[in-house]
Amino acid sequence: MSRYETLPSAPQAHAARADFEAAVRRGLTGRPRVIPPWFWYDAEGSRLFDAVCDTPEYYLTRVEAGILERSAPRLAATIGEGPIDVVDLGCGDGRKTAPVIAALRDGGAAVRYVPIDISGAAVDTAAAAMIARFPGLAIQGLIGEYFDGISWLSKNADRPRLVMFLGSNIGNFPMPEASAFATRLCKSLSPGDRVLIGFDLRKPGAPLIAAYNDSEGVGPRFSLNLLRRINRELGADFDLERFEARSTYDPVEGAIRMYLISLEEQSVYVRALDRRFDFEAFDPIQVGYSYKFRPREITQLAREARVDVEAMYFDDARWFCDAVWRIAPG
Ligand SMILES: C[S@@+](CC[C@H](N)C(=O)[O-])C[C@H]1O[C@@H](n2cnc3c(N)ncnc32)[C@H](O)[C@@H]1O
């Protein structure tokens, strides 16, 4: 059990368990079968995602880390000194946030680190890494859904905020939902607060496909872990050997799509739903998507959210962009 604040949407909470059951019921009954990506992250899912970030093919982490390392001093100079909450939304292991905290502290800011994640394991890992790097750093971990975390913060803290939403997590929403998410996020903050969002950009298909189908099979193991989670938490009998994880790239939509594909005709029982689900050979379950952006689409999101674009930081190859938006007064 984590020692950080557990919000109603945390996985151990009753409501979250009901959500998971409902999503699996809907996902396995519907055609096409789709289970949304935020159920990937139990403790093992978080560990496997960290391992994905370490594969040579998963350029996203490496490239974004480089952008943040390079731009952190400029960002810190813009923000200046004074108290600030650095909110790491969907923190994962938090490894890319450290240079920003270091630069803010070097500039004289009194930083509190606020990791928010649906996975308690992620909050624990990110918080432990920050304490190890910055002994004595103030930390407020929040375990739960993004907006549960933001609204807890609105009620319990009044410091200026830099909300970081890294790793192209925003790509987990199709474009209209990404816009709704960004707008809602910005609306829930105060004038003068900033958001820093990491966007993976459109690029040739080969590196994209390799990033999600790495040669060691870490990404596929990460996707298959969803079935293990359904087995454990909902008493299902998925045989992981009889499913294959594959990701494809759709250049029309600019989207990676992740599938678990039944390798044969089979029937799976889910005890919590008291239901059997039949699969024909090569039937897919879609378990995730990752939309890739054009720079003009990022500007468009900012326009729709009615925020000021303060900076757009790119790597040299323009494979990734970290955009900084400021919440305008009124
Ligand atoms: C793709 S990882 C990114 C991790 C890290 N920010 C990075 O850039 O490497 C997504 C993280 O967001 C968390 N997450 C996904 N959906 C969430 C939700 N709805 N509410 C809170 N956290 C969520 C996951 O548990 C996971 O740690």
Side-chain angles (χ1 to χ4, degrees), residues 37-38 41 46 49 53 58 61 64 88-96 116-119 122 144-147 165-169 172:
W38 48 91
Y41 298 96
S46 286
F49 180 74
C53 292
Y58 199 76
T61 305
E64 187 174 37
D88 202 348
L89 206 53
C91 58
D93 65 8
R95 67 176 89 171
K96 286 173 295 192
I116 299 177
D117 204 291
I118 197 77
S119 160
E145 202 275 328
Y146 301 129
F147 287 104
F165 193 48
L166 305 182
S168 207
N169 237 347
N172 286 341

Short mmCIF file of all heavy atoms in Angstrom, two decimals, residues 37-38 41 46 49 53 58 61 64 88-96 116-119 122 144-147 165-169 172, ligand 1:
data_model
loop_
_atom_site.label_atom_id
_atom_site.label_comp_id
_atom_site.label_asym_id
_atom_site.label_seq_id
_atom_site.Cartn_x
_atom_site.Cartn_y
_atom_site.Cartn_z
N PRO A 37 -6.75 2.03 -23.15
CA PRO A 37 -5.37 1.83 -22.70
C PRO A 37 -5.10 2.11 -21.23
O PRO A 37 -4.08 1.67 -20.72
CB PRO A 37 -4.56 2.78 -23.59
CG PRO A 37 -5.53 3.74 -24.15
CD PRO A 37 -6.86 3.07 -24.17
N TRP A 38 -5.98 2.85 -20.53
CA TRP A 38 -5.59 3.19 -19.16
C TRP A 38 -5.68 1.99 -18.22
O TRP A 38 -5.33 2.10 -17.06
CB TRP A 38 -6.35 4.39 -18.61
CG TRP A 38 -7.83 4.35 -18.82
CD1 TRP A 38 -8.75 3.83 -17.98
CD2 TRP A 38 -8.54 4.88 -19.94
NE1 TRP A 38 -9.99 4.00 -18.50
CE2 TRP A 38 -9.90 4.65 -19.71
CE3 TRP A 38 -8.15 5.54 -21.11
CZ2 TRP A 38 -10.87 5.05 -20.62
CZ3 TRP A 38 -9.13 5.92 -22.01
CH2 TRP A 38 -10.46 5.68 -21.75
N TYR A 41 -2.04 -0.31 -16.68
CA TYR A 41 -1.03 0.01 -15.66
C TYR A 41 -1.35 -0.52 -14.28
O TYR A 41 -1.65 0.24 -13.37
CB TYR A 41 -0.80 1.53 -15.61
CG TYR A 41 -0.25 2.07 -16.91
CD1 TYR A 41 -1.10 2.63 -17.86
CD2 TYR A 41 1.10 1.98 -17.20
CE1 TYR A 41 -0.60 3.12 -19.06
CE2 TYR A 41 1.61 2.46 -18.39
CZ TYR A 41 0.75 3.03 -19.31
OH TYR A 41 1.25 3.50 -20.50
N SER A 46 3.22 -1.10 -15.04
CA SER A 46 4.12 0.05 -14.87
C SER A 46 5.57 -0.38 -15.02
O SER A 46 6.38 0.30 -15.66
CB SER A 46 3.93 0.68 -13.49
OG SER A 46 2.73 1.40 -13.47
N PHE A 49 6.22 -1.00 -18.64
CA PHE A 49 6.31 0.24 -19.42
C PHE A 49 7.69 0.89 -19.23
O PHE A 49 8.30 1.36 -20.20
CB PHE A 49 5.20 1.24 -19.07
CG PHE A 49 5.35 2.49 -19.89
CD1 PHE A 49 5.00 2.49 -21.23
CD2 PHE A 49 5.91 3.64 -19.35
CE1 PHE A 49 5.19 3.62 -22.02
CE2 PHE A 49 6.10 4.78 -20.14
CZ PHE A 49 5.74 4.76 -21.47
N CYS A 53 10.52 1.77 -22.16
CA CYS A 53 11.23 3.05 -22.32
C CYS A 53 12.75 2.83 -22.48
O CYS A 53 13.44 3.68 -23.04
CB CYS A 53 10.99 3.97 -21.12
SG CYS A 53 9.28 4.53 -21.03
N TYR A 58 12.46 2.35 -28.65
CA TYR A 58 11.44 3.29 -28.14
C TYR A 58 12.07 4.68 -28.01
O TYR A 58 12.45 5.13 -26.94
CB TYR A 58 10.88 2.79 -26.80
CG TYR A 58 9.54 3.42 -26.45
CD1 TYR A 58 8.36 3.02 -27.08
CD2 TYR A 58 9.46 4.43 -25.50
CE1 TYR A 58 7.15 3.61 -26.77
CE2 TYR A 58 8.24 5.02 -25.18
CZ TYR A 58 7.09 4.60 -25.83
OH TYR A 58 5.88 5.19 -25.52
N THR A 61 11.07 8.20 -25.30
CA THR A 61 11.62 8.59 -24.00
C THR A 61 12.96 9.30 -24.17
O THR A 61 13.22 10.35 -23.59
CB THR A 61 11.80 7.33 -23.12
OG1 THR A 61 10.55 6.67 -23.05
CG2 THR A 61 12.27 7.70 -21.72
N GLU A 64 12.52 12.80 -25.93
CA GLU A 64 11.89 13.80 -25.06
C GLU A 64 12.82 14.16 -23.90
O GLU A 64 12.90 15.34 -23.52
CB GLU A 64 10.54 13.29 -24.52
CG GLU A 64 9.82 14.41 -23.76
CD GLU A 64 8.41 14.05 -23.30
OE1 GLU A 64 8.19 12.88 -22.92
OE2 GLU A 64 7.55 14.95 -23.30
N ASP A 88 3.26 16.14 -12.09
CA ASP A 88 3.66 15.17 -13.11
C ASP A 88 2.45 14.27 -13.36
O ASP A 88 2.21 13.32 -12.62
CB ASP A 88 4.86 14.38 -12.57
CG ASP A 88 5.69 13.73 -13.65
OD1 ASP A 88 5.23 13.69 -14.80
OD2 ASP A 88 6.81 13.28 -13.34
N LEU A 89 1.70 14.61 -14.42
CA LEU A 89 0.41 13.95 -14.67
C LEU A 89 0.66 12.65 -15.43
O LEU A 89 1.16 12.66 -16.55
CB LEU A 89 -0.43 14.92 -15.52
CG LEU A 89 -1.94 14.84 -15.47
CD1 LEU A 89 -2.47 14.93 -14.06
CD2 LEU A 89 -2.52 15.96 -16.32
N GLY A 90 0.31 11.51 -14.82
CA GLY A 90 0.65 10.22 -15.42
C GLY A 90 2.15 10.07 -15.37
O GLY A 90 2.82 9.92 -16.39
N CYS A 91 2.69 10.13 -14.14
CA CYS A 91 4.14 10.34 -13.95
C CYS A 91 5.00 9.19 -14.45
O CYS A 91 6.16 9.40 -14.81
CB CYS A 91 4.44 10.58 -12.47
SG CYS A 91 3.90 9.21 -11.40
N GLY A 92 4.45 7.94 -14.52
CA GLY A 92 5.34 6.81 -14.81
C GLY A 92 6.46 6.82 -13.79
O GLY A 92 6.23 7.11 -12.60
N ASP A 93 7.70 6.57 -14.24
CA ASP A 93 8.81 6.58 -13.27
C ASP A 93 9.39 7.98 -13.08
O ASP A 93 10.34 8.16 -12.32
CB ASP A 93 9.90 5.57 -13.65
CG ASP A 93 10.60 5.92 -14.96
OD1 ASP A 93 10.36 7.01 -15.51
OD2 ASP A 93 11.39 5.08 -15.44
N GLY A 94 8.82 8.98 -13.74
CA GLY A 94 9.20 10.38 -13.50
C GLY A 94 10.59 10.76 -13.95
O GLY A 94 11.06 11.86 -13.68
N ARG A 95 11.25 9.87 -14.72
CA ARG A 95 12.68 10.11 -15.00
C ARG A 95 12.94 11.40 -15.79
O ARG A 95 13.99 12.01 -15.66
CB ARG A 95 13.30 8.90 -15.71
CG ARG A 95 12.78 8.66 -17.10
CD ARG A 95 13.52 7.51 -17.78
NE ARG A 95 12.88 6.22 -17.51
CZ ARG A 95 13.23 5.09 -18.13
NH1 ARG A 95 14.22 5.09 -19.00
NH2 ARG A 95 12.59 3.98 -17.87
N LYS A 96 11.96 11.82 -16.65
CA LYS A 96 12.22 12.99 -17.48
C LYS A 96 11.93 14.32 -16.78
O LYS A 96 12.27 15.38 -17.28
CB LYS A 96 11.37 12.90 -18.76
CG LYS A 96 11.90 11.87 -19.72
CD LYS A 96 10.96 11.67 -20.88
CE LYS A 96 9.65 11.10 -20.42
NZ LYS A 96 8.80 10.64 -21.52
N ILE A 116 1.05 12.38 -10.09
CA ILE A 116 -0.33 11.87 -10.10
C ILE A 116 -0.36 10.70 -11.08
O ILE A 116 0.07 10.84 -12.24
CB ILE A 116 -1.32 12.95 -10.61
CG1 ILE A 116 -1.31 14.17 -9.69
CG2 ILE A 116 -2.73 12.37 -10.71
CD1 ILE A 116 -2.22 15.32 -10.16
N ASP A 117 -0.83 9.55 -10.63
CA ASP A 117 -0.90 8.41 -11.55
C ASP A 117 -1.94 7.43 -11.04
O ASP A 117 -2.14 7.27 -9.84
CB ASP A 117 0.47 7.71 -11.64
CG ASP A 117 0.63 6.94 -12.94
OD1 ASP A 117 -0.06 5.91 -13.13
OD2 ASP A 117 1.44 7.37 -13.80
N ILE A 118 -2.59 6.78 -11.99
CA ILE A 118 -3.58 5.74 -11.67
C ILE A 118 -2.89 4.53 -11.05
O ILE A 118 -3.51 3.72 -10.37
CB ILE A 118 -4.35 5.36 -12.98
CG1 ILE A 118 -5.64 4.63 -12.70
CG2 ILE A 118 -3.50 4.57 -13.93
CD1 ILE A 118 -6.74 5.49 -12.26
N SER A 119 -1.58 4.42 -11.29
CA SER A 119 -0.80 3.29 -10.76
C SER A 119 -0.04 3.72 -9.50
O SER A 119 0.83 4.60 -9.56
CB SER A 119 0.19 2.81 -11.84
OG SER A 119 1.23 2.07 -11.25
N ALA A 122 3.65 3.44 -9.83
CA ALA A 122 4.31 4.53 -10.55
C ALA A 122 4.57 5.70 -9.60
O ALA A 122 5.67 6.27 -9.57
CB ALA A 122 3.46 4.98 -11.74
N GLY A 144 -4.58 8.09 -8.50
CA GLY A 144 -5.94 8.15 -9.03
C GLY A 144 -5.91 8.70 -10.44
O GLY A 144 -4.85 8.88 -11.06
N GLU A 145 -7.09 8.96 -10.95
CA GLU A 145 -7.28 9.41 -12.32
C GLU A 145 -6.84 10.88 -12.44
O GLU A 145 -6.88 11.64 -11.46
CB GLU A 145 -8.77 9.22 -12.63
CG GLU A 145 -9.11 9.13 -14.10
CD GLU A 145 -9.27 10.51 -14.70
OE1 GLU A 145 -9.72 11.42 -13.98
OE2 GLU A 145 -8.91 10.69 -15.87
N TYR A 146 -6.43 11.29 -13.66
CA TYR A 146 -5.87 12.63 -13.86
C TYR A 146 -6.68 13.74 -13.19
O TYR A 146 -6.16 14.52 -12.40
CB TYR A 146 -5.81 12.97 -15.35
CG TYR A 146 -4.99 12.04 -16.21
CD1 TYR A 146 -5.53 11.50 -17.38
CD2 TYR A 146 -3.69 11.72 -15.89
CE1 TYR A 146 -4.78 10.66 -18.19
CE2 TYR A 146 -2.93 10.89 -16.70
CZ TYR A 146 -3.49 10.35 -17.84
OH TYR A 146 -2.76 9.53 -18.65
N PHE A 147 -7.97 13.80 -13.52
CA PHE A 147 -8.76 14.95 -13.07
C PHE A 147 -9.16 14.85 -11.61
O PHE A 147 -9.40 15.86 -10.96
CB PHE A 147 -9.97 15.18 -13.98
CG PHE A 147 -9.54 15.75 -15.30
CD1 PHE A 147 -9.50 14.96 -16.44
CD2 PHE A 147 -9.11 17.07 -15.39
CE1 PHE A 147 -9.06 15.47 -17.65
CE2 PHE A 147 -8.67 17.60 -16.59
CZ PHE A 147 -8.64 16.79 -17.73
N PHE A 165 2.67 16.86 -18.77
CA PHE A 165 1.94 15.70 -19.29
C PHE A 165 2.82 15.11 -20.39
O PHE A 165 2.71 15.48 -21.56
CB PHE A 165 0.58 16.15 -19.80
CG PHE A 165 -0.38 15.03 -20.07
CD1 PHE A 165 -0.58 14.02 -19.14
CD2 PHE A 165 -1.12 14.99 -21.24
CE1 PHE A 165 -1.49 12.98 -19.38
CE2 PHE A 165 -2.03 13.97 -21.49
CZ PHE A 165 -2.20 12.96 -20.55
N LEU A 166 3.72 14.23 -19.99
CA LEU A 166 4.83 13.84 -20.86
C LEU A 166 4.56 12.51 -21.58
O LEU A 166 3.52 11.88 -21.38
CB LEU A 166 6.12 13.72 -20.03
CG LEU A 166 6.51 14.96 -19.21
CD1 LEU A 166 7.82 14.72 -18.48
CD2 LEU A 166 6.63 16.19 -20.11
N GLY A 167 5.55 12.13 -22.39
CA GLY A 167 5.54 10.80 -22.98
C GLY A 167 4.50 10.63 -24.07
O GLY A 167 4.14 9.52 -24.43
N SER A 168 4.00 11.74 -24.61
CA SER A 168 2.93 11.70 -25.61
C SER A 168 1.73 10.91 -25.10
O SER A 168 1.03 10.23 -25.85
CB SER A 168 3.41 11.11 -26.95
OG SER A 168 2.62 11.63 -28.00
N ASN A 169 1.51 11.02 -23.80
CA ASN A 169 0.32 10.43 -23.20
C ASN A 169 -0.94 10.98 -23.86
O ASN A 169 -1.96 10.30 -23.95
CB ASN A 169 0.30 10.84 -21.72
CG ASN A 169 0.25 9.64 -20.82
OD1 ASN A 169 -0.01 8.53 -21.28
ND2 ASN A 169 0.47 9.85 -19.55
N ASN A 172 -2.86 9.12 -26.52
CA ASN A 172 -3.80 8.03 -26.21
C ASN A 172 -5.25 8.43 -26.46
O ASN A 172 -6.15 7.63 -26.27
CB ASN A 172 -3.65 7.57 -24.76
CG ASN A 172 -2.38 6.77 -24.55
OD1 ASN A 172 -1.82 6.26 -25.50
ND2 ASN A 172 -1.93 6.68 -23.32
C1 LIG B 1 2.79 6.32 -21.35
S1 LIG B 1 3.04 6.35 -19.61
C2 LIG B 1 3.96 7.83 -19.48
C3 LIG B 1 4.81 7.88 -18.25
C4 LIG B 1 5.73 9.08 -18.15
N1 LIG B 1 5.00 10.34 -18.00
C5 LIG B 1 6.63 9.16 -19.35
O1 LIG B 1 6.58 10.18 -20.04
O2 LIG B 1 7.39 8.22 -19.60
C6 LIG B 1 1.48 6.75 -19.02
C7 LIG B 1 1.33 6.89 -17.52
O3 LIG B 1 0.07 7.50 -17.25
C8 LIG B 1 -0.65 6.74 -16.30
N2 LIG B 1 -2.08 6.85 -16.65
C9 LIG B 1 -2.70 6.36 -17.75
N3 LIG B 1 -4.00 6.71 -17.76
C10 LIG B 1 -4.20 7.43 -16.61
C11 LIG B 1 -5.34 8.09 -16.07
N4 LIG B 1 -6.51 8.09 -16.70
N5 LIG B 1 -5.18 8.76 -14.89
C12 LIG B 1 -3.98 8.78 -14.25
N6 LIG B 1 -2.87 8.17 -14.74
C13 LIG B 1 -2.98 7.51 -15.91
C14 LIG B 1 -0.12 5.33 -16.42
O4 LIG B 1 -0.27 4.58 -15.22
C15 LIG B 1 1.34 5.56 -16.78
O5 LIG B 1 2.18 5.62 -15.67
#
